[in-house]
Amino acid sequence: MSDWEQRVGAAWAAIDEYDGREDEFRALIDGLAAERPEGDPVAAFERACAWDSTGHSDRAVPLYEQALEHGLAGYRRRRAVVQMSSSLRNIGQVERAVGLLEAERAVDPATLDEATRGLGDAISATLALCLADSGREREAVSVAVAALAPHLPRYQRSMANYARLLIQP
């Protein structure tokens, strides 16, 4: 892990220390992002996360979009999709969020590394929230139960079937 990545990780580990001083936290992340080359997608992503984590979904979305447009890859790309979708939900663009999350769920897991695949449940949880907000509650419950089923000590098959039956005619 590079020195820069370690410093970014340390900043995020300390975010709770900035309670009430969110502008200072964003300035810290901005300073770290400024060390990256112009147009760097990772810098845009980290800035987006800082705005998002300090309650400014509206400011985060354009930065997530910039990061994705400039080629953000791997684990951070998938995080950007999840986080941007959550932010879109927060600012009333739930249908757009649903579209992004459904597209992300369609990505073949075999093409992803283990850490990136590990965000699958985060995609499902965020999608369930977005579906509920868009009036598609049965689909939301189906997505949530289907995501939970593999983690249960028993009843995995039954719960997966119930999840499927919630949305079958």
Side-chain angles (χ1 to χ4, degrees), residues 96-112:
R96 183 171 171 216
V98 168
L100 289 168
L101 292 163
E102 287 177 338
E104 193 64 27
R105 283 182 62 178
V107 172
D108 180 1
T111 65
L112 305 171

Side-chain angles (χ1 to χ4, degrees), residues 1-135:
M1 181 182 297
S2 74
D3 174 64
W4 186 87
E5 292 282 2
Q6 289 176 347
R7 290 184 290 133
V8 168
W12 282 105
I15 190 172
D16 290 337
E17 296 171 23
Y18 290 89
D19 189 31
R21 302 181 351 252
E22 289 81 6
D23 55 334
E24 290 179 36
F25 179 75
R26 287 190 305 270
L28 172 62
I29 295 298
D30 274 342
L32 289 163
E35 296 176 25
R36 306 287 294 194
E38 182 70 30
D40 181 70
V42 173
F45 172 75
E46 293 297 337
R47 285 182 172 118
C49 293
W51 281 107
D52 213 357
S53 296
T54 58
H56 298 277
S57 295
D58 59 324
R59 301 284 301 266
V61 168
L63 290 164
Y64 287 131
E65 290 171 330
Q66 179 183 346
L68 292 167
E69 288 168 7
H70 285 98
L72 190 66
Y75 184 71
R76 276 190 171 111
R77 186 201 62 77
R78 184 162 262 202
R79 282 183 56 205
V81 171
V82 171
Q83 292 167 204
M84 183 169 75
S85 296
S86 179
S87 291
L88 288 166
R89 175 181 169 259
N90 290 339
I91 63 173
Q93 295 183 32
V94 69
E95 292 304 326
R96 183 171 171 216
V98 168
L100 289 168
L101 292 163
E102 287 177 338
E104 193 64 27
R105 283 182 62 178
V107 172
D108 180 1
T111 65
L112 305 171
D113 62 56
E114 184 177 345
T116 306
R117 274 193 312 273
L119 292 173
D121 288 342
I123 292 166
S124 295
T126 307
L127 178 59
L129 290 169
C130 291
L131 288 168
D133 281 1
S134 68

